[in-house]
Amino acid sequence: MLFRRRQPESFSQKLRLALWPRRSWRRSLLYMKKRVLRLRATPHAIAAGVAAGVFATFTPLLGFHFVMAFVIAYLARGSLPAAALGCLIGNPLTYPLIWGATYEAGRFLTAAEIPDGRAPESLGAALSHGDIAAIWGPYLKPMLIGSIPLGLFFALVSYGLVLIGVRSFQAARAHKAGGAPAAEPAP
């Protein structure tokens, strides 16, 4: 193979790289920032795509985040690659925070009572057998309800920040190239 490693990585090395970047978090975040800024689309399309990805990440529907982000981005005339990059907000370090916040927000909005603080004995069996009905009421329903306001809030914040960043980046790039910045087409 042309791009194969001479010594394959062990399972522990792969696990470490999945949880901690090879260089640093700062370098990885700068790389993602540059990827978003260099997308070839209007500032609205890039910002809408990132916002769609951020909103989808807040839902507890694991496995459907990319599909949901693509549908929302398509409906909002957003960039699909930007939606995929927006989904990267959800990672092993942020999911516990997101899930805890969505659960608490949903529990507050539905006025649900708190389970006794430990997982029910049937939770493992319900998850292994795919019995969604057993975990719907106590866990998934509050998380889904809580994900909507939190997801909308963070999607709007990310839309504004990305829109400002992309506009200034594209204007600086156009100025550096010697031309006027491209006008954003009317929606």
Side-chain angles (χ1 to χ4, degrees):
M1 259 293 120
L2 183 61
F3 295 109
R4 193 178 215 176
R5 290 179 160 272
R6 289 183 186 188
Q7 295 177 350
E9 292 179 332
S10 68
F11 176 74
S12 62
Q13 289 173 328
K14 289 179 185 178
L15 181 64
R16 188 195 73 76
L17 287 175
L19 298 175
W20 197 264
R22 192 176 304 271
R23 300 282 183 202
S24 68
W25 281 108
R26 182 174 177 264
R27 183 178 172 139
S28 296
L29 292 174
L30 284 173
Y31 173 74
M32 294 309 300
K33 176 183 158 189
K34 289 198 182 283
R35 292 288 304 218
V36 168
L37 291 176
R38 290 180 179 164
L39 288 172
R40 297 271 184 203
T42 63
H44 164 75
I46 295 171
V50 170
V54 169
F55 177 78
T57 299
F58 273 81
T59 63
L61 307 173
L62 279 178
F64 296 104
H65 288 167
F66 284 105
V67 174
M68 186 183 308
F70 291 157
V71 169
I72 295 169
Y74 178 77
L75 293 175
R77 295 183 182 177
S79 169
L80 298 183
L85 291 172
C87 284
L88 295 178
I89 295 296
N91 59 58
L93 294 176
T94 60
Y95 274 136
L97 300 172
I98 290 171
W99 290 337
T102 59
Y103 176 73
E104 288 299 323
R107 197 177 59 73
F108 175 76
L109 290 173
T110 60
E113 60 184 58
I114 302 173
D116 58 0
R118 57 186 174 87
E121 288 81 28
S122 61
L123 181 62
L127 291 174
S128 65
H129 295 299
D131 187 13
I132 301 297
I135 59 172
W136 172 255
Y139 299 105
L140 286 181
K141 183 178 175 184
M143 286 178 74
L144 192 59
I145 290 171
S147 70
I148 294 170
L150 286 176
L152 284 174
F153 173 75
F154 283 102
L156 290 173
V157 168
S158 66
Y159 177 84
L161 292 174
V162 171
L163 184 69
I164 291 168
V166 170
R167 278 186 181 161
S168 65
F169 179 80
Q170 288 182 353
R173 183 167 37 177
H175 179 69
K176 190 176 185 179
E184 186 174 330

